[in-house]
Amino acid sequence: MTPRTALSIAGSDPSGGAGIQADLKTFAALGVYGMAAIAGLTAQNTQGVRAASALDPGFVVAQVEAVLDDIEVHATKLGMLTNTGIAQAVAELILRRREDFGFVVLDPVMVATSGDRLLTDDAIAVVRTQLLPLADLVTPNVPETAVLTGSPPARSAEELLAQTECLVAAGAHAVLAKGGHLEGEEMTDLLVTGKGATAFTSSRVATRNTHGTGCTLSSAIAASAARAGTAPGDVVPHQVVSAARDFLHRAIAAGADWQLSRSPKTGHGPVNHLINLARESS
């Protein structure tokens, strides 16, 4: 028996709510064998990022190649790549060995929930011009969509749709623009491809515990794509996006009242990645 697998190439979050830690929790919760190559280290918690340190690009590539040379990867999630050198090295490796990465989900992590910058300015061009065309799906939030298109942040779903269509016109295969930063009691994400747009809407959960939601959604999509057998070049099935969004929504709701932090009224706590395990044990 060969299990379905997913690889995360991203940064580390020692508090466990985002980054590699959130990705591996999500992979396990959704029933795929998770692997990870660390692209950057952070000293952070629910209150914010205290420090960040990039790894040597060659060592990041060595981690990824060690996995690819040994284990079949069905889906890959790209998260925080820290700087130009790492982003460039990862892009070149994917270009050389595209089929080995399976279905690729790019979460263009630029700003943490706390507002801290996680990607240097000179790396954004690499993400926009090299990684974006290699990915099967890109999952930016409102601020990230604005940065990638060189536009002011969208203030409505209509403006977000227009910016997302620009990304597809610029070479993205598919974009899931996350509307969580827009106002309203409902949250609408827009899946846009060259064939049109589909809106996914869910109720907004009133909580401060939203640390790592972007990481969790993109890794949930990668896991769901791996389980569905979605291949590189395939348009992401709507049921894959829907399943991932359902997992995240349930995880947010289940962790809405969590108070892990010593200062729960400030900062942003994590979502409850254990929600599927709780359902199985109940």
Side-chain angles (χ1 to χ4, degrees), residues 120-246:
T120 56
D121 291 338
D122 55 353
I124 293 174
V126 176
V127 173
R128 183 189 295 117
T129 62
Q130 297 185 48
L131 285 170
L132 188 143
L134 290 172
D136 293 295
L137 179 66
V138 187
T139 61
N141 58 27
V142 169
E144 291 160 352
T145 303
V147 171
L148 288 172
T149 57
S151 308
R155 294 169 296 178
S156 66
E158 291 75 17
E159 290 183 359
L160 184 61
L161 175 60
Q163 292 181 9
T164 306
E165 289 174 337
C166 289
L167 289 179
V168 173
H173 294 284
V175 179
L176 180 68
K178 299 172 292 188
H181 286 78
L182 301 178
E183 296 182 356
E185 295 183 358
E186 293 186 328
M187 293 192 302
T188 298
D189 299 334
L190 300 172
L191 176 62
V192 179
T193 69
K195 296 183 179 180
T198 302
F200 295 85
T201 300
S202 56
S203 58
R204 188 182 297 273
V205 179
T207 179
R208 294 188 63 86
N209 296 339
T210 56
H211 179 52
T213 50
C215 301
T216 300
L217 179 61
S218 56
S219 56
I221 292 173
S224 298
R227 287 179 60 89
T230 310
D234 287 353
V235 175
V236 59
H238 289 180
Q239 61 266 32
V240 164
V241 174
S242 181
R245 291 183 78 258
D246 174 70

Side-chain angles (χ1 to χ4, degrees), residues 7-11 20 35-40 55 59-61 63-64 67:
L7 168 66
S8 171
I9 307 172
I20 290 287
M35 302 164 287
I38 298 176
L55 299 184
F59 186 69
V60 176
V61 169
Q63 293 178 74
V64 178
V67 174

Side-chain angles (χ1 to χ4, degrees), residues 3-8 23-24 27 32-36 67 72-77 219 222-224 226:
R4 304 303 291 179
T5 66
L7 168 66
S8 171
D23 295 342
L24 290 176
F27 292 160
V32 302
Y33 180 81
M35 302 164 287
V67 174
E72 182 180 4
V73 175
H74 298 118
T76 299
K77 175 261 175 75
S219 56
S224 298

